[in-house]
Amino acid sequence: MPTLSEVRKTSELVDRAYKFAEKTHRGQKRQTGESYFSHVEATAECLAGWGLDETTIAAGLLHDVIEDTPVTDDDVRKIFGQEVKRLVDGVTKLGTVKYRGDKTQADNLRKLILAMAEDLRVILIKLADRLHNMETLWALPPDKRERVAVETLEIYTPLAYRLGMQGLSGQLQDLAFPYAYPDEYKWLVENIKERYEERETYLKKLKPKVERALEENNIEVSSIDFRAKRYASLYKKLLKNNMDIDKIHDLVAFRIIVKDVESCYGTLGVIHNLWPPLPGKIKDYIATPKPNGYRSLHTTVLGPDEKIIEFQIRTEEMHYEAENGIAASWAYEESKDTKAYRKGRAARANVNEAAWVEQLRSWQKDFADPNEFIDAFKIDFLTDSIFAITPKGEVVDLPLGATPVDFAYHIHSDIGSHCAGAKVNGKIVPLDYKLESTDVVEIITQKNKKPSASWLDFVVTSNAKGHIRNALHKDSKDNLITTRKQMIELKIVVENRVGILRDVSNIISRSHVNIVTLTSAPRERDSYHVIKALCDTDNKNKILKIMLKLKGLKAVKEIDYRFA
Ligand code: MN
């Protein structure tokens, strides 16, 4: 992809915007001490690197002139044309998007989403802007740093992922995580670093064997390297696995890039010939791409010394698209012969983008209250997702933890409200069954069936929740629905010492969780004591965080939890 200075040579528009921005921002400084212009330059450099069109790059250079200089949007239109003005306007109107708290902030995020639905390039500029702001985050005061970092992790990182831009999403995550979660970051660095190195050494030793086997089978390889799991996503995965690092097998994975699709499947065969694959772990995202467009083959095998190894296999094109996502579909094939930087849109952009924007538009119509809208957006759009498949082969994108009832409501509210049972991959499952990617789901409906209050205990999409609540409300207006709140019991095995009970209860209450009962008793088979703390919360993530903190106590040997 071209650099900004290369684009300036072929695009008169970009060159003009560059000089204009440099002049209008002259004298302004950022908190880092650098010139303000260096920020807009970095933003535009990033957009050029994604291979975007000249209009977007010019708008990237001008993205802060309306807000921070005397230049008006009308000036921008007169000098750079209507399209550049529209993009700059879009970015300016977004301002700093904040999502926490009051209505105006929620309104801001709503604006962001609507702007995105109108022209995705606005959000691409915003993402490039955010990337540079994150790179220079160290210069801000600590409280502001944390706020920006949390916002980046909760909004921009998943948004980039959602747009298929895994490269950017990962970069933003790496930059934000240490500021947003300093304690957790420190814990990871201290506890995981060695594991990373150990894993990499192990894989490096196996690399020649993989190379040789592929060569013997005449598979042309572009590259074999190792993908280390990022701290932020590792942390998320650890939370899901009770902070047990032994359960994380893809700390470092092999990534093999080959010439064509045929070679991908060929490589898979070669790997399985070397080491036995683990059942149920082969994922064919080439035949069934993820909803964000991601394509690859994944497999997990049992390697030497009984160690589990993960492989990702893809072509160069798939790799490029996995890193750049929607930006890749906007990008232009670079051509040295072309005198002028291309002005038109790449034809294939429309396909991907249209589907995404359509989804977004139809979805956002359902919400009138901005706060509800933001919550729903965060849950239904930005959380980790899985995808289930209808019996007809259509892909349905759902948040992690979604159940057949969520699936049913996603298909149609009528199917949801008459849902009587479900089959997953041909077998009857309970309605609170947690769906997994590539599950084929069939909903069994009954005419007289009605939504049940108990469904609220397990559905995760706001879409399903809303419909169920409405139906229950209609059913009996004065019949108050009380959802039973669960509690969580922590079981902590400790080496008994003076003050240990106090230390444990301090950690729990400092996390704003009330302890209902706290008991301690010696364990029969050894000299350890077992502390049981019944906590007044049903928030598993909160408990996992507490467990992480408790693990910091030297006396703590084992921790477990259960819903009580
Ligand atoms: Mn900016």
Side-chain angles (χ1 to χ4, degrees):
M1 282 301 151
T3 62
L4 180 58
S5 66
E6 279 162 11
V7 176
R8 279 178 63 200
K9 280 179 202 142
T10 48
S11 165
E12 180 272 333
L13 178 72
V14 172
D15 189 53
R16 215 150 32 90
Y18 185 94
K19 288 171 182 152
F20 184 86
E22 192 177 31
K23 199 176 77 198
T24 46
H25 284 298
R26 193 166 291 161
Q28 294 177 340
K29 284 244 186 298
R30 301 196 93 212
Q31 252 153 323
T32 56
E34 290 168 298
S35 70
Y36 200 91
F37 177 70
S38 70
H39 164 66
V40 296
E41 194 183 17
T43 304
E45 188 71 76
C46 182
L47 295 166
W50 291 342
L52 295 173
D53 61 309
E54 61 172 1
T55 315
T56 313
I57 299 171
L61 284 162
L62 302 168
H63 83 267
D64 278 330
V65 290
I66 297 180
E67 188 144 5
D68 296 325
T69 76
V71 175
T72 66
D73 57 347
D74 211 35
D75 298 335
V76 174
R77 185 183 54 79
K78 277 185 203 139
I79 307 170
F80 299 100
Q82 179 59 29
E83 211 182 342
V84 174
K85 181 233 156 196
R86 202 167 43 75
L87 293 178
V88 173
D89 239 10
V91 180
T92 309
K93 279 202 190 111
L94 295 179
T96 329
V97 179
K98 291 169 199 148
Y99 58 91
R100 284 183 298 185
D102 60 55
K103 197 167 163 293
T104 21
Q105 293 177 329
D107 273 340
N108 265 335
L109 184 57
R110 183 172 197 137
K111 265 190 252 157
L112 168 91
I113 295 154
L114 294 179
M116 208 158 67
E118 218 162 85
D119 192 330
L120 273 175
R121 289 176 298 175
V122 170
I123 194 65
L124 293 175
I125 298 169
K126 192 73 201 167
L127 285 167
D129 170 55
R130 176 53 59 114
L131 178 63
H132 186 250
N133 284 337
M134 288 307 295
E135 280 165 349
T136 50
L137 195 64
W138 54 268
L140 296 188
D143 58 320
K144 206 170 173 201
R145 268 197 311 237
E146 194 199 321
R147 189 187 60 68
V148 175
V150 168
E151 184 183 270
T152 299
L153 282 181
E154 292 195 1
I155 304 286
Y156 291 96
T157 303
L159 192 57
Y161 184 82
R162 199 63 205 207
L163 293 166
M165 304 169 80
Q166 290 192 16
L168 174 69
S169 167
Q171 268 175 296
L172 288 173
Q173 251 183 39
D174 280 352
L175 291 165
F177 188 66
Y179 293 113
Y181 298 99
D183 296 340
E184 288 84 350
Y185 178 74
K186 208 175 133 227
W187 184 87
L188 281 175
V189 173
E190 279 165 9
N191 291 278
I192 309 295
K193 197 168 167 271
E194 251 171 67
R195 295 292 189 106
Y196 266 118
E197 284 160 7
E198 206 179 276
R199 285 296 290 171
E200 206 170 294
T201 321
Y202 173 73
L203 295 188
K204 270 186 185 147
K205 259 193 234 153
L206 298 179
K207 190 178 168 187
K209 193 169 176 178
V210 175
E211 278 171 332
R212 219 177 314 124
L214 290 170
E215 204 184 302
E216 278 164 16
N217 287 277
N218 299 316
I219 294 172
E220 204 182 323
V221 175
S222 308
S223 72
I224 301 184
D225 58 13
F226 312 108
R227 189 273 304 138
K229 204 167 188 64
R230 294 172 190 275
Y231 276 142
S233 61
L234 174 62
Y235 181 68
K236 247 200 246 162
K237 201 160 182 179
L238 278 167
L239 283 179
K240 268 184 235 153
N241 287 287
N242 299 346
M243 304 314 288
D244 187 351
I245 184 72
D246 290 325
K247 288 196 184 130
I248 315 290
H249 303 303
D250 61 344
L251 207 53
V252 185
F254 264 115
R255 181 182 285 156
I256 304 179
I257 297 176
V258 292
K259 290 286 165 213
D260 49 30
V261 173
E262 213 189 331
S263 311
C264 289
Y265 290 101
T267 304
L268 190 72
V270 169
I271 306 283
H272 289 170
N273 208 15
L274 286 175
W275 299 293
L278 298 185
K281 290 284 189 185
I282 305 166
K283 307 248 169 74
D284 187 347
Y285 295 124
I286 295 179
T288 317
K290 285 193 187 179
N292 69 1
Y294 176 79
R295 291 181 299 158
S296 251
L297 295 178
H298 289 191
T299 188
T300 306
V301 304
L302 198 60
D305 307 323
E306 309 280 282
K307 282 188 180 158
I308 290 168
I309 319 168
E310 195 190 273
F311 284 88
Q312 300 178 348
I313 306 158
R314 56 177 81 146
T315 66
E316 276 171 71
E317 190 193 355
M318 290 174 199
H319 183 59
Y320 178 72
E321 285 183 6
E323 290 293 303
N324 296 292
I326 208 112
S329 57
W330 265 97
Y332 299 84
E333 267 109 67
E334 204 189 349
S335 159
K336 290 253 155 67
D337 308 327
T338 322
K339 286 234 172 62
Y341 200 69
R342 296 215 193 165
K343 290 186 169 107
R345 288 184 55 163
R348 68 199 168 114
N350 298 320
V351 188
N352 270 341
E353 192 189 318
W356 205 84
V357 166
E358 201 32 63
Q359 201 185 353
L360 193 62
R361 274 198 194 126
S362 72
W363 176 88
Q364 61 95 16
K365 268 188 261 163
D366 299 342
F367 298 92
D369 173 37
N371 282 316
E372 205 180 292
F373 172 78
I374 297 318
D375 284 345
F377 182 77
K378 280 172 69 182
I379 296 165
D380 293 1
F381 251 83
L382 299 184
T383 48
D384 284 349
S385 60
I386 56 134
F387 63 99
I389 300 167
T390 69
K392 282 185 190 156
E394 283 153 303
V395 173
V396 174
D397 192 3
L398 292 165
L400 200 69
T403 62
V405 176
D406 293 293
F407 179 92
Y409 275 107
H410 187 100
I411 303 290
H412 196 279
S413 57
D414 268 352
I415 298 183
S417 31
H418 296 107
C419 173
K423 277 187 186 173
V424 167
N425 305 324
K427 275 190 216 134
I428 298 268
V429 295
L431 286 179
D432 64 354
Y433 176 87
K434 301 240 177 299
L435 296 173
E436 280 176 36
S437 280
T438 71
D439 275 348
V440 177
V441 187
E442 192 184 332
I443 300 297
I444 304 156
T445 54
Q446 265 169 23
K447 241 191 187 159
N448 53 1
K449 185 77 190 163
K450 279 180 186 167
S452 144
S454 66
W455 292 0
L456 289 170
D457 290 345
F458 57 76
V459 296
V460 296
T461 52
S462 19
N463 183 29
K465 273 184 201 153
H467 281 297
I468 297 167
R469 280 206 194 101
N470 283 344
L472 293 171
H473 191 65
K474 230 191 275 166
D475 225 28
S476 57
K477 269 187 187 151
D478 38 21
N479 192 359
L480 278 176
I481 312 143
T482 46
T483 41
R484 286 159 287 127
K485 197 183 169 195
Q486 279 189 308
M487 291 199 257
I488 296 178
E489 186 188 71
L490 278 169
K491 189 178 139 196
I492 309 141
V493 178
V494 296
E495 217 165 331
N496 199 25
R497 63 157 167 81
V498 177
I500 180 69
L501 210 55
R502 188 200 55 217
D503 291 350
V504 167
S505 70
N506 275 350
I507 287 180
I508 298 173
S509 41
R510 250 187 276 130
S511 308
H512 306 287
V513 168
N514 284 327
I515 305 171
V516 182
T517 57
L518 185 69
T519 61
S520 172
R523 192 156 76 167
E524 268 172 33
R525 61 184 145 101
D526 48 36
S527 61
Y528 292 143
H529 277 228
V530 179
I531 298 176
K532 285 185 180 171
L534 185 62
C535 303
D536 187 14
T537 179
D538 58 356
N539 184 336
K540 192 180 146 196
N541 278 346
K542 233 180 184 174
I543 290 296
L544 290 170
K545 278 195 177 173
I546 291 173
M547 285 167 69
L548 177 69
K549 286 185 184 141
L550 288 170
K551 279 194 176 175
L553 294 175
K554 263 217 182 88
V556 171
K557 297 299 161 200
E558 289 164 33
I559 313 180
D560 214 347
Y561 75 93
R562 63 178 187 91
F563 282 95

